[in-house]
Amino acid sequence: MKNKLAWTWATLVCLACLPAPGAFGARSLDPQRSEQKPAINVRRPFALVEPVESHTKLSVSDEGLEAIRNIPGPVIPVVVIGPYRSGKSFLLNQLLGVGCTEGFGVGHTRSTQTKGVWVWGEPQKLPPSANTLPDFAGQEASIVYLDTEGFESTGKADAYDDRIFALSTLISAVLVYNLPETVRESDIQKLSFAVELAEGFYADVQGGGGSSPVEPGSMLWLIQRDFLEGKTVQSMVSEALQPVPNPFQDQDIAQVNKIRQSLQLVARNSTAFGLHQPHMERTKLCELGDDQLDKKYLEQRAQLHDLVQQLAKPKRVNGKVMTGPGLAELVSQMVTALNARDIPTAGSILEHFNKELVYRVRDTYITTLESLVLPVTEAALAAHHEAASAVARQQFQAEKFGNDLTSGLGSLQDMLQASLDKEFVGRQTANTLESNRRCEKAETDCEDTLEREQLVKLPSTGRFEDRFSHCEAAFERACIGPAHSGQVPSPFTAMTFT
């Protein structure tokens, strides 16, 4: 007894010595407090797509994908592209109303400051008047600004610039082509791969042949120059995009003319805007406040901000307005497709997207096929297969990228049909097995019932025949599918009362 009291006292003393809840960083027992996560600062740029070490291919940043996945409601990506050291990052900071230290990185050296593609984590809500558009179904829409690595910088392959351009073209609702002074022929040539890709992605919708899985956005040619007198910027850009005479059939001129003629595929509309230089000392822009910037520039900056909002229309993917998660998925798919080959082509990218579509359509077909509870007759299963296959083929035709003459669609359609037929054969096997199981059980149950009837002490022919009729009817109801002989009388006809 004495030892027991001593042990109890020692236990109480030890309990009194335990630290209070929360001491030494102990986890709170409050479930609400324990589930709280530290707030993430979204008012900053996030790396979305980064170059690999060789600076030829791209890699997706999980942090950037998570940032855009968390954006609620419809999103309208505004992507700025252009040569390196052309003021893209500073322009975006100006549109966002943030300084260089808080916003996108701005550099003044010969090396490019922005690497890959960066996204501003804090979405910019559209004005209430814009949110009432039917396109958004009453949901609050947001502009998401993206900065891209400038092209023509040192240490990069042309295929890398092509990847950045192609990605920007496909994900943007507004594509801002930021250029200094004027539109050069080389600036148009840079769009060649984007145009080739757009021909596959957008040709059907632009030609009135139906809806495209990814709809084109708007394109804004932004010309930053010191003097904007003379021709208007719109007329200057329009003239630069007109095909030039090619009497000697020069191949280079012919290629650029083809790009000019096909640029309408990149965007549903094209707008030009001129922006005065903010200050003569460009290397000190980050140190200057609005009171030190050119007044004409400040006026045009406000006009540009309003113009971007006017051009901000919903980006649709597979007929649905794109959301944050949808944008993240599209970026991931595009990067995978662009990296599939060392030198990406429009055909290889379209093939990648269409292969993914084949797998998606097949999964939908399987879900539809499995909705029919087994066992069923072979005719019923075949009819269900034909109906599900027809829906699958229609879905593929509606959501495919490119036309029947491009991107290997013929072989992919064969691949889809072979996949559906393979799944159907598997379902036929499952139907036969389930039919055999059900029929064997029904037969066994009937045999047991009739054998018990034969063993009763006072057997009756009339009662046996009544049991037999009920048993035969139960068998006919239970035994369905390939295992059913389909012949009358049933397998119990040979059984007689003895």
Side-chain angles (χ1 to χ4, degrees), residues 56-286:
T56 56
K57 294 188 178 182
L58 308 172
S59 65
V60 178
S61 167
D62 292 335
E63 186 182 37
L65 287 179
E66 189 63 23
I68 57 178
R69 283 195 192 102
N70 291 331
I71 299 175
V75 296
I76 305 171
V78 175
V79 186
V80 181
I81 61 174
Y84 83 109
R85 295 192 66 204
S86 61
K88 298 186 305 298
S89 301
F90 179 78
L91 170 68
L92 280 167
N93 292 339
Q94 291 282 288
L95 291 175
L96 288 164
V98 298
C100 296
T101 56
E102 183 183 8
F104 291 103
V106 177
H108 302 293
T109 64
R110 290 194 61 82
S111 61
T112 181
Q113 181 72 16
T114 303
K115 303 292 185 182
V117 180
W118 288 67
V119 59
W120 185 251
E122 183 182 52
Q124 308 300 297
K125 299 297 182 184
L126 280 178
S129 58
N131 284 332
T132 59
L133 291 173
D135 291 324
F136 300 129
Q139 301 180 70
E140 193 173 38
S142 307
I143 292 177
V144 178
Y145 285 105
L146 295 99
D147 192 13
T148 63
E149 183 171 353
F151 57 80
E152 294 180 343
S153 62
T154 57
K156 296 188 306 179
D158 288 341
Y160 177 80
D161 285 344
D162 285 343
R163 287 182 170 96
I164 294 293
F165 262 68
L167 177 63
S168 302
T169 302
L170 265 296
I171 70 173
S172 62
V174 180
L175 183 66
V176 182
Y177 199 174
N178 183 65
L179 296 170
E181 301 300 331
T182 188
V183 180
R184 302 170 299 168
E185 207 165 75
S186 61
D187 298 326
I188 299 174
Q189 286 177 321
K190 275 293 179 184
L191 293 172
S192 61
F193 183 58
V195 167
E196 183 186 355
L197 192 59
E199 287 177 346
F201 275 84
Y202 302 150
D204 287 345
V205 66
Q206 293 283 14
S211 61
S212 171
V214 181
E215 289 186 350
S218 299
M219 188 168 185
L220 174 59
W221 296 79
L222 181 62
I223 312 300
Q224 298 196 45
R225 57 190 300 189
D226 294 321
F227 303 100
L228 295 174
E229 287 78 10
K231 295 180 181 178
T232 65
V233 174
Q234 184 67 59
S235 63
M236 181 185 69
V237 171
S238 297
E239 286 183 14
L241 298 182
Q242 289 296 319
V244 300
N246 187 20
F248 301 106
Q249 302 300 312
D250 183 276
Q251 290 186 353
D252 292 335
I253 296 176
Q255 176 64 21
V256 177
N257 279 342
K258 181 182 177 182
I259 297 170
R260 288 185 171 104
Q261 293 170 343
S262 302
L263 272 175
Q264 59 181 333
L265 294 172
V266 174
R268 57 189 167 197
N269 58 63
S270 188
T271 307
F273 187 87
L275 186 63
H276 201 76
Q277 292 293 347
H279 197 276
M280 296 302 295
E281 296 188 63
R282 293 180 58 83
T283 59
K284 294 184 178 180
L285 290 178
C286 289

Side-chain angles (χ1 to χ4, degrees), residues 11-87:
T11 302
L12 291 173
V13 171
C14 288
L15 289 173
C17 295
L18 288 174
F24 308 114
R27 186 176 180 179
S28 169
L29 298 179
D30 184 347
Q32 293 184 345
R33 292 184 60 186
S34 63
E35 291 178 359
Q36 290 179 350
K37 296 180 180 180
I40 299 176
N41 176 27
V42 296
R43 191 177 167 81
R44 66 181 181 89
F46 291 83
L48 179 61
V49 175
E50 298 175 295
V52 296
E53 291 183 5
S54 61
H55 226 103
T56 56
K57 294 188 178 182
L58 308 172
S59 65
V60 178
S61 167
D62 292 335
E63 186 182 37
L65 287 179
E66 189 63 23
I68 57 178
R69 283 195 192 102
N70 291 331
I71 299 175
V75 296
I76 305 171
V78 175
V79 186
V80 181
I81 61 174
Y84 83 109
R85 295 192 66 204
S86 61

